[in-house]
Amino acid sequence: MAFCNKNVPSSSSSSSSSNHFPMLGLLSLLLLHPTTTSSPFASAIRVVTIQKPTSDDIPSFWEAPAFRNGDSCSSRNIDKIQIVMPVDANYIRGTMAAVLSILQHSTCPENASFHFLSIHLEPEIISLINSTFPYLNYKIYHFHPNRVRGMISKSIRQALDQPLNYARIYLSDILPTDVHRVIYLDSDIIVVDDIAKLWRVDLEDKILAAPEYCHANFTTYFTDTFWSDVNLANTFEGRRPCYFNTGVMVMDLDGWRKGGYTQKIEEWMVIQKHKRIYQLGSLPPVLLVFAGNIKAVDHRWNQHGLGGDNFEGKCRGLHPGPISLLHWSGKGKPWLRLDARKPCTIDHLWAPYDLYRSSRVALEE
């Protein structure tokens, strides 16, 4: 698959920044007083078809501080943390906040190497990344939508049907073969811990690592058509399948390539076109291949569902327990709710990382 790389040279001229945003107090407040009320704005959020943006659609951002490694950090390539994220005009604000949070909380921020996936490769977005993070080590790759467009089935929410949502399935083809292992992250996340802790998880003999949620009703992720077909239902025979969210994954790309897992997932997407065996976009075919056969990671690394459900995006509180990563999966996105001045309580944890130029005024009011 053709891709476009852009290396951003590092610089040692700026001083490091070690100021941390005041997360502890906010987290304590939300853990003690979780909100379960719905936001009036949630039902008004509308997802539109993603089209190639004009220059007027591209927002502007404040330049982020330069984050530097301490003396104890290694500069060897083998110690680089490879992070993959999608980027487009619709979610660029989330991506910028996510990158800032990762750097802000990393012990060795210069060891983070970012790989951005894009449909359009807009020069404006490349320029935006350069101006917002002048010292960021990154490459940007083209993901051609024709790779999946003939296999995408309509799901319960239009945003789930966008080709870029499927790019995670093709990382072994998109990224160069010298990238052996990656952390894949969605754009609607905030990291409040050192990402190196997630990077160091021992995959053992597994291809994927992610938090598992075995208390969830796994049968709801597939239709009655699937479960009533004996041959299809036997897919999970010999496994104890549990739900996991594909927005946060550690992936062994070498093992993925050797196992031909892209083709295995595509085979399920073809079946879906004919039999309608699931409703949720790119997640179910990954579950069909991997559920019950991944390395389980502590739940702290994906406090997901903060965007509410896929229909109304109602406000949700935090789940009990420690938190390393917050994930606004679901319909509601924090930047949309904040802009409408009708945020959920949880959205105030995202706001300190928002580099959008007009957002500082709103925060100060």
Side-chain angles (χ1 to χ4, degrees):
M1 175 175 291
F3 59 84
C4 174
N5 290 353
K6 179 171 178 62
N7 286 298
V8 179
S10 61
S11 171
S12 59
S13 60
S14 295
S15 60
S16 64
S17 171
S18 59
N19 294 327
H20 289 267
F21 293 114
M23 296 299 300
L24 184 58
L26 287 170
L27 284 170
S28 300
L29 175 64
L30 288 168
L31 286 169
L32 291 172
H33 305 285
T35 177
T36 57
T37 59
S38 63
S39 166
F41 177 68
S43 61
I45 297 175
R46 182 171 61 92
V47 178
V48 299
T49 301
I50 297 177
Q51 299 176 343
K52 185 172 182 178
T54 65
S55 58
D56 293 337
D57 297 324
I58 307 295
S60 61
F61 295 87
W62 298 100
E63 181 179 327
F67 298 94
R68 296 304 190 192
N69 285 355
D71 293 338
S72 62
C73 296
S74 169
S75 59
R76 301 180 304 170
N77 285 334
I78 195 173
D79 295 314
K80 297 293 184 183
I81 300 173
Q82 311 290 344
I83 302 167
V84 181
M85 299 184 71
V87 61
D88 68 4
N90 292 56
Y91 281 77
I92 185 66
R93 193 164 160 190
T95 302
M96 292 299 195
V99 170
L100 176 61
S101 73
I102 292 168
L103 299 176
Q104 178 76 33
H105 294 282
S106 292
T107 303
C108 303
E110 290 181 286
N111 286 3
S113 181
F114 289 85
H115 304 265
F116 296 118
L117 311 175
S118 176
I119 295 288
H120 301 297
L121 290 177
E122 302 96 334
E124 295 87 356
I125 284 186
I126 295 173
S127 176
L128 197 61
I129 296 172
N130 290 340
S131 62
T132 307
F133 298 102
Y135 311 105
L136 192 68
N137 177 22
Y138 83 92
K139 296 179 181 178
I140 187 163
Y141 304 81
H142 181 226
F143 177 67
H144 202 293
N146 286 345
R147 182 74 188 260
V148 292
R149 188 155 281 153
M151 291 183 287
I152 294 178
S153 300
K154 185 177 181 180
S155 66
I156 61 174
R157 185 159 62 90
Q158 188 178 9
L160 301 177
D161 301 339
Q162 303 305 321
L164 192 58
N165 203 42
Y166 289 78
R168 71 197 79 188
I169 297 169
Y170 297 91
L171 294 185
S172 63
D173 297 332
I174 298 170
L175 301 183
T177 56
D178 61 356
V179 177
H180 308 289
R181 173 187 174 118
V182 300
I183 297 174
Y184 176 85
L185 299 173
D186 277 344
S187 297
D188 51 359
I189 62 98
I190 290 294
V191 177
V192 294
D193 201 348
D194 191 343
I195 196 71
K197 296 177 183 177
L198 180 60
W199 178 251
R200 289 195 294 264
V201 65
D202 184 3
L203 282 168
E204 299 174 355
D205 61 343
K206 307 300 183 184
I207 304 299
L208 298 181
E212 281 187 316
Y213 303 91
C214 295
H215 63 279
N217 185 354
F218 190 79
T219 61
T220 62
Y221 292 95
F222 303 94
T223 64
D224 291 341
T225 300
F226 176 85
W227 294 113
S228 62
D229 186 310
V230 176
N231 292 326
L232 295 177
N234 284 340
T235 298
F236 298 109
E237 187 175 358
R239 289 190 271 167
R240 181 174 179 259
C242 296
Y243 162 75
F244 64 93
N245 182 280
T246 56
V248 179
M249 299 184 289
V250 182
M251 306 174 67
D252 174 6
L253 292 190
D254 287 340
W256 186 292
R257 294 181 182 107
K258 292 177 182 176
Y261 287 103
T262 295
Q263 182 180 354
K264 293 177 182 179
I265 294 172
E266 285 182 332
E267 289 171 357
W268 283 112
M269 293 166 66
V270 171
I271 293 174
Q272 162 73 355
K273 294 289 287 187
H274 294 91
K275 289 197 173 185
R276 194 66 180 173
I277 58 175
Y278 54 79
Q279 307 282 359
L280 279 174
S282 64
L283 168 65
V286 178
L287 293 179
L288 285 162
V289 174
F290 286 107
N293 193 29
I294 70 169
K295 171 69 175 181
V297 175
D298 194 297
H299 288 178
R300 68 187 302 151
W301 283 105
N302 196 349
Q303 180 86 209
H304 69 289
L306 303 182
D309 59 25
N310 282 301
F311 297 100
E312 299 181 65
K314 292 182 178 180
C315 292
R316 290 182 178 176
L318 294 171
H319 305 294
I323 299 168
S324 294
L325 185 148
L326 299 129
H327 187 188
W328 278 261
S329 58
K331 188 175 183 180
K333 302 306 173 188
W335 55 91
L336 296 178
R337 299 192 294 214
L338 286 162
D339 283 355
R341 296 185 181 274
K342 294 181 180 179
C344 298
T345 305
I346 193 68
D347 297 339
H348 294 290
L349 292 180
W350 182 90
Y353 300 96
D354 187 12
L355 292 169
Y356 184 51
R357 277 188 176 272
S358 68
S359 64
R360 288 292 183 266
V361 177
L363 287 171
E364 292 170 359
E365 290 180 354

